[in-house]
Amino acid sequence: MAKISANYEVVFVVDPAQGEEAVAAQVNNFKTLIEQNGSNVEVEEWGTRKLAYPIDYKTEGYYVLVNFTSAPEFPRELDRKLRIADGIMRSLIVCKGE
């Protein structure tokens, strides 16, 4: 039986108020998690940018874009971990069609 996989894109916004080391640790944690559960991982760190609207009275966030290929079960687990992680302000996972 062939393993079904799809291409995904996740953007998450880290609270830069935690400090540079904490932001780098968050990015690294999720990058490692995605690499363990997926393949063709490409990480683009967009850096600190102004938010379109304040989130919890904060006006800036550290944006990270990750493209990866994985089994369809993994994005649900990734979304759960992003939601409960301290310092992650927002996240969005999209399945990209071929």
Side-chain angles (χ1 to χ4, degrees), residues 1-8 37-39 68-80 93-96:
M1 187 167 127
K3 191 172 183 183
I4 300 170
S5 65
N7 292 326
Y8 296 94
N37 293 281
S39 58
F68 64 97
T69 304
S70 77
E73 305 80 48
F74 174 62
R76 189 177 302 117
E77 176 64 10
L78 177 61
D79 188 46
R80 185 185 74 79
I93 302 173
V94 179
C95 181
K96 300 193 303 182

Side-chain angles (χ1 to χ4, degrees), residues 12-34 43 45 62 64 66 78 81-90:
F12 58 94
V13 183
V14 184
D15 182 358
Q18 304 177 85
E20 282 182 36
E21 286 181 15
V23 169
Q26 284 281 37
V27 172
N28 202 32
N29 287 347
F30 283 105
K31 179 179 179 245
T32 303
L33 178 68
I34 294 168
V43 180
E45 294 188 36
Y62 189 89
V64 181
V66 184
L78 177 61
K81 289 187 175 181
L82 283 163
R83 285 176 195 270
I84 62 175
D86 287 337
I88 301 294
M89 298 165 75
R90 287 285 187 276

Side-chain angles (χ1 to χ4, degrees), residues 24-67:
Q26 284 281 37
V27 172
N28 202 32
N29 287 347
F30 283 105
K31 179 179 179 245
T32 303
L33 178 68
I34 294 168
E35 285 172 343
Q36 288 169 349
N37 293 281
S39 58
N40 301 333
V41 179
E42 292 174 27
V43 180
E44 279 182 48
E45 294 188 36
W46 294 346
T48 304
R49 297 195 174 177
K50 190 165 174 53
L51 299 171
Y53 53 89
I55 299 173
D56 295 331
Y57 305 104
K58 294 176 175 80
T59 57
E60 289 190 332
Y62 189 89
Y63 284 75
V64 181
L65 167 72
V66 184
N67 288 296

